[in-house]
Amino acid sequence: GENVEQHPSTLSVQEGDSAVIKCTYSDSASNYFPWYKQELGKRPQLIIDIRSNVGEKKDQRIAVTLNKTAKHFSLHITETQPEDSAVYFCAASIEGYSTLTFGKGTMLLVSP
Amino acid sequence: GAVVSQHPSWVICKSGTSVKIECRSLDFQATTMFWYRQFPKQSLMLMATSNEGSKATYEQGVEKDKFLINHASLTLSTLTVTSAHPEDSSFYICSARLLREAKNIQYFGAGTRLSVL
């Protein structure tokens, strides 16, 4: 089955800095890679996703890149703000066929 | 759109009792829902896949007789923790899969915090 590794487990940045979270996956058939943000005690919220037919996707301050050959994808947050503090999970799946396999999560702390 | 409601949000029960958690897709039909368990500061662990009109598919190591799943309609799945014990205390989260334009996205419920005394 699919295995997703996520790094780092914790990330502390100053407000305004950029943050990068990286994930690798094992199943070359995976073609859908969402990122979820989970604030303490709340539900995971989908913030951005990418499919294997593109290499990069942006939405305001967040972007995701995908390298299919190397089987890794990354989340980039620019101009971080304290409200970006949360746990971020990457996931991988074969869209329409398999369940989501989640990484272990990255706790992002943005200090004012 | 794409709202998933989970109820209750918090439950405390005595050891040996059963607890039912409901997961509803409010504005879309979900033939597939998922149940996860999350320990503090850990990732989402898939427990089972709930399919409308058929038996749930359980992940390895999850006791199907302990965690009963029923997906009786296209908008409702329930998880019953039978004869709960303190080690079952955890945060349980459901999600519903929305199929739209050949793409599928999972939307999560707000979770249920179960404390077994």
Side-chain angles (χ1 to χ4, degrees):
Chain A
E2 176 66 273
N3 182 49
V4 176
E5 299 283 342
Q6 183 172 347
H7 299 281
S9 56
T10 59
L11 179 59
S12 294
V13 299
Q14 292 290 119
E15 183 177 1
D17 288 348
S18 295
V20 180
I21 303 170
K22 299 181 179 181
C23 289
T24 61
Y25 61 100
S26 61
D27 189 349
S28 57
S30 290
N31 59 5
Y32 176 61
F33 308 93
W35 285 88
Y36 286 86
K37 175 184 179 182
Q38 186 179 27
E39 296 177 25
L40 188 62
K42 296 189 176 180
R43 76 185 76 201
Q45 300 261 20
L46 177 69
I47 55 170
I48 195 168
D49 58 12
I50 190 167
R51 290 171 173 83
S52 59
N53 57 342
V54 296
E56 185 176 0
K57 184 176 179 181
K58 280 186 180 180
D59 183 3
Q60 299 182 332
R61 294 188 297 109
I62 60 172
V64 57
T65 58
L66 170 65
N67 183 324
K68 286 173 56 180
T69 304
K71 289 190 282 189
H72 66 70
F73 56 111
S74 301
L75 177 72
H76 304 253
I77 306 175
T78 58
E79 299 173 34
T80 54
Q81 300 167 3
E83 49 266 39
D84 294 329
S85 296
V87 179
Y88 291 81
F89 293 99
C90 63
S93 74
I94 303 172
E95 192 159 36
Y97 290 95
S98 70
T99 59
L100 287 174
T101 300
F102 285 90
K104 291 188 183 297
T106 296
M107 179 176 289
L108 174 64
L109 295 170
V110 181
S111 303
Chain B
V3 177
V4 176
S5 172
Q6 187 172 341
H7 179 81
S9 57
W10 186 37
V11 58
I12 301 174
C13 69
K14 292 182 179 179
S15 186
T17 60
S18 294
V19 175
K20 179 185 281 189
I21 303 169
E22 293 187 348
C23 182
R24 294 181 185 271
S25 55
L26 296 186
D27 51 1
F28 65 100
Q29 293 183 332
T31 56
T32 305
M33 292 185 176
F34 303 91
W35 288 96
Y36 295 85
R37 186 171 179 176
Q38 188 175 35
F39 292 102
K41 298 184 179 181
Q42 294 192 25
S43 190
L44 297 153
M45 184 189 79
L46 181 64
M47 298 174 65
T49 302
S50 172
N51 300 296
E52 187 269 336
S54 65
K55 291 183 178 180
T57 305
Y58 289 82
E59 296 300 301
Q60 193 172 7
V62 178
E63 299 175 59
K64 59 180 67 176
D65 294 331
K66 173 77 171 176
F67 299 99
L68 299 178
I69 291 172
N70 186 295
H71 195 152
S73 78
L74 287 171
T75 60
L76 174 63
S77 175
T78 60
L79 168 68
T80 301
V81 183
T82 62
S83 187
H85 291 284
E87 57 265 29
D88 298 323
S89 299
S90 190
F91 193 53
Y92 293 87
I93 306 180
C94 72
S95 71
R97 187 157 67 189
L98 171 62
L99 285 169
R100 179 176 289 161
E101 299 173 354
K103 298 176 182 177
N104 68 79
I105 297 173
Q106 283 189 36
Y107 292 92
F108 285 85
T112 297
R113 188 162 302 283
L114 172 63
S115 296
V116 185
L117 304 178

Short mmCIF file of all heavy atoms in Angstrom, two decimals, chain A residues 66-108:
data_model
loop_
_atom_site.label_atom_id
_atom_site.label_comp_id
_atom_site.label_asym_id
_atom_site.label_seq_id
_atom_site.Cartn_x
_atom_site.Cartn_y
_atom_site.Cartn_z
N LEU A 66 4.78 19.53 -7.21
CA LEU A 66 4.79 18.07 -7.32
C LEU A 66 5.88 17.64 -8.27
O LEU A 66 5.98 18.15 -9.39
CB LEU A 66 3.43 17.58 -7.83
CG LEU A 66 3.33 16.10 -8.22
CD1 LEU A 66 3.51 15.20 -6.99
CD2 LEU A 66 1.99 15.81 -8.89
N ASN A 67 6.68 16.68 -7.82
CA ASN A 67 7.70 16.07 -8.67
C ASN A 67 7.36 14.59 -8.77
O ASN A 67 7.65 13.81 -7.85
CB ASN A 67 9.09 16.28 -8.06
CG ASN A 67 10.21 15.74 -8.95
OD1 ASN A 67 10.06 14.72 -9.61
ND2 ASN A 67 11.34 16.40 -8.96
N LYS A 68 6.73 14.22 -9.85
CA LYS A 68 6.28 12.83 -10.00
C LYS A 68 7.44 11.86 -10.11
O LYS A 68 7.38 10.73 -9.63
CB LYS A 68 5.40 12.71 -11.25
CG LYS A 68 4.01 13.31 -11.10
CD LYS A 68 3.27 13.30 -12.41
CE LYS A 68 3.17 11.93 -13.03
NZ LYS A 68 2.43 11.95 -14.32
N THR A 69 8.50 12.30 -10.76
CA THR A 69 9.64 11.40 -10.94
C THR A 69 10.26 11.03 -9.61
O THR A 69 10.56 9.87 -9.34
CB THR A 69 10.70 12.06 -11.84
OG1 THR A 69 10.09 12.43 -13.08
CG2 THR A 69 11.86 11.12 -12.10
N ALA A 70 10.41 12.04 -8.78
CA ALA A 70 11.01 11.81 -7.46
C ALA A 70 9.98 11.38 -6.43
O ALA A 70 10.34 11.03 -5.31
CB ALA A 70 11.72 13.08 -7.00
N LYS A 71 8.72 11.45 -6.78
CA LYS A 71 7.62 11.10 -5.87
C LYS A 71 7.65 11.94 -4.61
O LYS A 71 7.63 11.41 -3.49
CB LYS A 71 7.61 9.60 -5.57
CG LYS A 71 7.19 8.76 -6.79
CD LYS A 71 6.95 7.31 -6.45
CE LYS A 71 8.25 6.56 -6.31
NZ LYS A 71 8.09 5.11 -6.19
N HIS A 72 7.74 13.23 -4.81
CA HIS A 72 7.60 14.09 -3.65
C HIS A 72 6.84 15.36 -4.02
O HIS A 72 6.78 15.77 -5.17
CB HIS A 72 8.94 14.39 -2.96
CG HIS A 72 9.91 15.20 -3.75
ND1 HIS A 72 9.75 16.55 -4.03
CD2 HIS A 72 11.11 14.85 -4.26
CE1 HIS A 72 10.78 16.98 -4.70
NE2 HIS A 72 11.62 15.99 -4.87
N PHE A 73 6.19 15.92 -3.01
CA PHE A 73 5.42 17.14 -3.19
C PHE A 73 5.58 18.00 -1.94
O PHE A 73 5.87 17.50 -0.86
CB PHE A 73 3.95 16.84 -3.50
CG PHE A 73 3.23 15.97 -2.50
CD1 PHE A 73 2.22 16.51 -1.71
CD2 PHE A 73 3.51 14.62 -2.36
CE1 PHE A 73 1.52 15.72 -0.81
CE2 PHE A 73 2.83 13.84 -1.46
CZ PHE A 73 1.83 14.39 -0.67
N SER A 74 5.44 19.29 -2.13
CA SER A 74 5.73 20.23 -1.06
C SER A 74 4.68 21.32 -0.97
O SER A 74 4.08 21.70 -1.98
CB SER A 74 7.10 20.90 -1.29
OG SER A 74 8.13 19.95 -1.34
N LEU A 75 4.49 21.80 0.24
CA LEU A 75 3.59 22.92 0.51
C LEU A 75 4.45 24.13 0.84
O LEU A 75 5.35 24.03 1.68
CB LEU A 75 2.66 22.60 1.67
CG LEU A 75 1.71 23.72 2.11
CD1 LEU A 75 0.62 23.91 1.06
CD2 LEU A 75 1.09 23.40 3.47
N HIS A 76 4.16 25.24 0.21
CA HIS A 76 4.90 26.48 0.43
C HIS A 76 3.92 27.54 0.92
O HIS A 76 2.91 27.81 0.26
CB HIS A 76 5.56 26.96 -0.86
CG HIS A 76 6.46 25.95 -1.51
ND1 HIS A 76 7.83 26.05 -1.50
CD2 HIS A 76 6.18 24.81 -2.18
CE1 HIS A 76 8.35 25.00 -2.14
NE2 HIS A 76 7.37 24.24 -2.56
N ILE A 77 4.23 28.13 2.06
CA ILE A 77 3.43 29.23 2.57
C ILE A 77 4.32 30.46 2.65
O ILE A 77 5.36 30.43 3.31
CB ILE A 77 2.85 28.93 3.97
CG1 ILE A 77 2.08 27.60 3.96
CG2 ILE A 77 1.93 30.07 4.42
CD1 ILE A 77 1.59 27.16 5.34
N THR A 78 3.95 31.51 1.96
CA THR A 78 4.73 32.74 1.99
C THR A 78 4.07 33.76 2.92
O THR A 78 2.89 33.66 3.23
CB THR A 78 4.86 33.35 0.59
OG1 THR A 78 3.55 33.60 0.08
CG2 THR A 78 5.59 32.40 -0.35
N GLU A 79 4.89 34.70 3.37
CA GLU A 79 4.39 35.78 4.25
C GLU A 79 3.52 35.21 5.37
O GLU A 79 2.37 35.61 5.55
CB GLU A 79 3.60 36.79 3.42
CG GLU A 79 4.42 37.45 2.32
CD GLU A 79 3.56 38.33 1.41
OE1 GLU A 79 2.58 38.93 1.88
OE2 GLU A 79 3.87 38.39 0.20
N THR A 80 4.10 34.30 6.11
CA THR A 80 3.32 33.61 7.15
C THR A 80 2.76 34.59 8.18
O THR A 80 3.35 35.64 8.48
CB THR A 80 4.17 32.56 7.87
OG1 THR A 80 5.37 33.18 8.35
CG2 THR A 80 4.51 31.42 6.94
N GLN A 81 1.60 34.20 8.71
CA GLN A 81 0.90 35.00 9.72
C GLN A 81 0.60 34.10 10.91
O GLN A 81 0.53 32.87 10.76
CB GLN A 81 -0.39 35.55 9.12
CG GLN A 81 -0.16 36.44 7.90
CD GLN A 81 -1.44 36.73 7.12
OE1 GLN A 81 -2.53 36.33 7.50
NE2 GLN A 81 -1.29 37.45 6.02
N PRO A 82 0.42 34.67 12.10
CA PRO A 82 0.15 33.85 13.28
C PRO A 82 -1.05 32.91 13.08
O PRO A 82 -1.05 31.79 13.59
CB PRO A 82 -0.14 34.90 14.36
CG PRO A 82 0.70 36.07 13.96
CD PRO A 82 0.62 36.09 12.45
N GLU A 83 -2.03 33.33 12.31
CA GLU A 83 -3.20 32.47 12.09
C GLU A 83 -2.90 31.27 11.19
O GLU A 83 -3.74 30.39 11.01
CB GLU A 83 -4.38 33.27 11.53
CG GLU A 83 -4.05 34.13 10.35
CD GLU A 83 -3.72 35.56 10.75
OE1 GLU A 83 -3.05 35.77 11.79
OE2 GLU A 83 -4.11 36.47 9.99
N ASP A 84 -1.70 31.23 10.63
CA ASP A 84 -1.29 30.05 9.87
C ASP A 84 -0.84 28.93 10.81
O ASP A 84 -0.64 27.79 10.37
CB ASP A 84 -0.13 30.38 8.92
CG ASP A 84 -0.54 31.34 7.81
OD1 ASP A 84 -1.72 31.32 7.40
OD2 ASP A 84 0.32 32.14 7.38
N SER A 85 -0.67 29.25 12.09
CA SER A 85 -0.24 28.24 13.06
C SER A 85 -1.29 27.14 13.15
O SER A 85 -2.47 27.40 13.42
CB SER A 85 -0.03 28.88 14.43
OG SER A 85 1.02 29.83 14.39
N ALA A 86 -0.86 25.91 12.92
CA ALA A 86 -1.77 24.76 12.90
C ALA A 86 -0.93 23.53 12.58
O ALA A 86 0.29 23.62 12.39
CB ALA A 86 -2.87 24.93 11.85
N VAL A 87 -1.59 22.39 12.53
CA VAL A 87 -0.95 21.18 12.04
C VAL A 87 -1.37 20.97 10.59
O VAL A 87 -2.55 21.08 10.26
CB VAL A 87 -1.34 19.95 12.88
CG1 VAL A 87 -0.68 18.69 12.32
CG2 VAL A 87 -0.94 20.14 14.34
N TYR A 88 -0.40 20.74 9.75
CA TYR A 88 -0.65 20.53 8.33
C TYR A 88 -0.38 19.07 7.98
O TYR A 88 0.65 18.51 8.35
CB TYR A 88 0.24 21.44 7.50
CG TYR A 88 -0.14 22.90 7.64
CD1 TYR A 88 0.29 23.65 8.73
CD2 TYR A 88 -0.93 23.53 6.69
CE1 TYR A 88 -0.07 24.98 8.88
CE2 TYR A 88 -1.29 24.87 6.82
CZ TYR A 88 -0.87 25.58 7.93
OH TYR A 88 -1.23 26.90 8.08
N PHE A 89 -1.32 18.48 7.27
CA PHE A 89 -1.18 17.09 6.83
C PHE A 89 -1.16 17.02 5.31
O PHE A 89 -2.00 17.63 4.64
CB PHE A 89 -2.36 16.24 7.31
CG PHE A 89 -2.44 16.06 8.80
CD1 PHE A 89 -3.29 16.83 9.56
CD2 PHE A 89 -1.67 15.09 9.43
CE1 PHE A 89 -3.38 16.65 10.93
CE2 PHE A 89 -1.75 14.90 10.80
CZ PHE A 89 -2.61 15.69 11.55
N CYS A 90 -0.21 16.28 4.78
CA CYS A 90 -0.26 15.96 3.36
C CYS A 90 -0.92 14.58 3.22
O CYS A 90 -1.00 13.83 4.18
CB CYS A 90 1.13 15.94 2.74
SG CYS A 90 2.25 14.67 3.41
N ALA A 91 -1.38 14.28 2.04
CA ALA A 91 -2.00 12.98 1.79
C ALA A 91 -1.82 12.62 0.32
O ALA A 91 -1.56 13.49 -0.52
CB ALA A 91 -3.48 13.00 2.16
N ALA A 92 -1.97 11.34 0.05
CA ALA A 92 -1.86 10.85 -1.32
C ALA A 92 -2.90 9.78 -1.55
O ALA A 92 -3.26 9.04 -0.64
CB ALA A 92 -0.45 10.29 -1.57
N SER A 93 -3.37 9.71 -2.78
CA SER A 93 -4.32 8.65 -3.13
C SER A 93 -4.37 8.48 -4.64
O SER A 93 -3.87 9.32 -5.40
CB SER A 93 -5.72 8.96 -2.60
OG SER A 93 -6.33 9.97 -3.39
N ILE A 94 -5.00 7.39 -5.04
CA ILE A 94 -5.35 7.20 -6.45
C ILE A 94 -6.79 7.67 -6.54
O ILE A 94 -7.70 7.01 -6.01
CB ILE A 94 -5.22 5.73 -6.88
CG1 ILE A 94 -3.82 5.21 -6.61
CG2 ILE A 94 -5.59 5.57 -8.37
CD1 ILE A 94 -3.67 3.72 -6.82
N GLU A 95 -6.99 8.80 -7.18
CA GLU A 95 -8.30 9.43 -7.14
C GLU A 95 -9.38 8.51 -7.68
O GLU A 95 -9.27 7.97 -8.78
CB GLU A 95 -8.27 10.73 -7.93
CG GLU A 95 -9.50 11.58 -7.70
CD GLU A 95 -9.28 13.03 -8.05
OE1 GLU A 95 -8.55 13.29 -9.02
OE2 GLU A 95 -9.83 13.89 -7.36
N GLY A 96 -10.43 8.36 -6.88
CA GLY A 96 -11.57 7.55 -7.30
C GLY A 96 -11.42 6.08 -6.98
O GLY A 96 -12.38 5.33 -7.09
N TYR A 97 -10.23 5.68 -6.53
CA TYR A 97 -10.02 4.26 -6.28
C TYR A 97 -9.59 3.96 -4.86
O TYR A 97 -10.05 3.00 -4.25
CB TYR A 97 -8.97 3.70 -7.25
CG TYR A 97 -9.46 3.62 -8.66
CD1 TYR A 97 -9.20 4.65 -9.56
CD2 TYR A 97 -10.21 2.53 -9.11
CE1 TYR A 97 -9.65 4.59 -10.85
CE2 TYR A 97 -10.67 2.47 -10.40
CZ TYR A 97 -10.38 3.51 -11.27
OH TYR A 97 -10.85 3.44 -12.55
N SER A 98 -8.68 4.75 -4.34
CA SER A 98 -8.13 4.38 -3.04
C SER A 98 -8.46 5.44 -1.99
O SER A 98 -8.89 6.54 -2.28
CB SER A 98 -6.61 4.21 -3.14
OG SER A 98 -5.96 5.45 -3.34
N THR A 99 -8.22 5.05 -0.75
CA THR A 99 -8.42 5.99 0.34
C THR A 99 -7.22 6.92 0.44
O THR A 99 -6.16 6.66 -0.12
CB THR A 99 -8.58 5.22 1.66
OG1 THR A 99 -7.40 4.44 1.87
CG2 THR A 99 -9.78 4.31 1.60
N LEU A 100 -7.39 8.00 1.19
CA LEU A 100 -6.28 8.91 1.43
C LEU A 100 -5.32 8.30 2.44
O LEU A 100 -5.75 7.80 3.47
CB LEU A 100 -6.80 10.25 1.98
CG LEU A 100 -7.51 11.19 1.04
CD1 LEU A 100 -8.07 12.37 1.82
CD2 LEU A 100 -6.58 11.67 -0.06
N THR A 101 -4.04 8.37 2.14
CA THR A 101 -3.01 8.00 3.11
C THR A 101 -2.37 9.30 3.57
O THR A 101 -1.84 10.06 2.75
CB THR A 101 -1.96 7.08 2.48
OG1 THR A 101 -2.59 5.88 2.02
CG2 THR A 101 -0.90 6.71 3.52
N PHE A 102 -2.40 9.54 4.87
CA PHE A 102 -1.92 10.79 5.41
C PHE A 102 -0.48 10.69 5.89
O PHE A 102 -0.04 9.64 6.37
CB PHE A 102 -2.79 11.23 6.60
CG PHE A 102 -4.13 11.77 6.19
CD1 PHE A 102 -5.22 10.93 6.06
CD2 PHE A 102 -4.30 13.12 5.95
CE1 PHE A 102 -6.46 11.42 5.68
CE2 PHE A 102 -5.53 13.63 5.57
CZ PHE A 102 -6.61 12.77 5.44
N GLY A 103 0.23 11.80 5.80
CA GLY A 103 1.50 11.91 6.47
C GLY A 103 1.27 12.13 7.96
O GLY A 103 0.12 12.29 8.40
N LYS A 104 2.33 12.14 8.74
CA LYS A 104 2.19 12.24 10.20
C LYS A 104 1.90 13.65 10.67
O LYS A 104 1.60 13.85 11.85
CB LYS A 104 3.46 11.71 10.87
CG LYS A 104 3.64 10.21 10.72
CD LYS A 104 4.80 9.71 11.56
CE LYS A 104 5.04 8.23 11.35
NZ LYS A 104 3.91 7.41 11.76
N GLY A 105 1.99 14.63 9.79
CA GLY A 105 1.64 15.99 10.17
C GLY A 105 2.85 16.84 10.52
O GLY A 105 3.89 16.34 10.96
N THR A 106 2.69 18.14 10.31
CA THR A 106 3.71 19.12 10.68
C THR A 106 3.04 20.20 11.49
O THR A 106 2.08 20.82 11.03
CB THR A 106 4.34 19.76 9.43
OG1 THR A 106 5.02 18.76 8.67
CG2 THR A 106 5.31 20.87 9.81
N MET A 107 3.54 20.41 12.69
CA MET A 107 3.02 21.49 13.52
C MET A 107 3.78 22.76 13.16
O MET A 107 4.98 22.86 13.40
CB MET A 107 3.17 21.18 15.00
CG MET A 107 2.65 22.31 15.88
SD MET A 107 2.70 21.94 17.63
CE MET A 107 1.40 20.73 17.75
N LEU A 108 3.07 23.72 12.59
CA LEU A 108 3.67 24.99 12.20
C LEU A 108 3.33 26.04 13.25
O LEU A 108 2.16 26.25 13.58
CB LEU A 108 3.13 25.44 10.83
CG LEU A 108 3.57 26.84 10.36
CD1 LEU A 108 5.08 26.90 10.16
CD2 LEU A 108 2.84 27.24 9.08
#
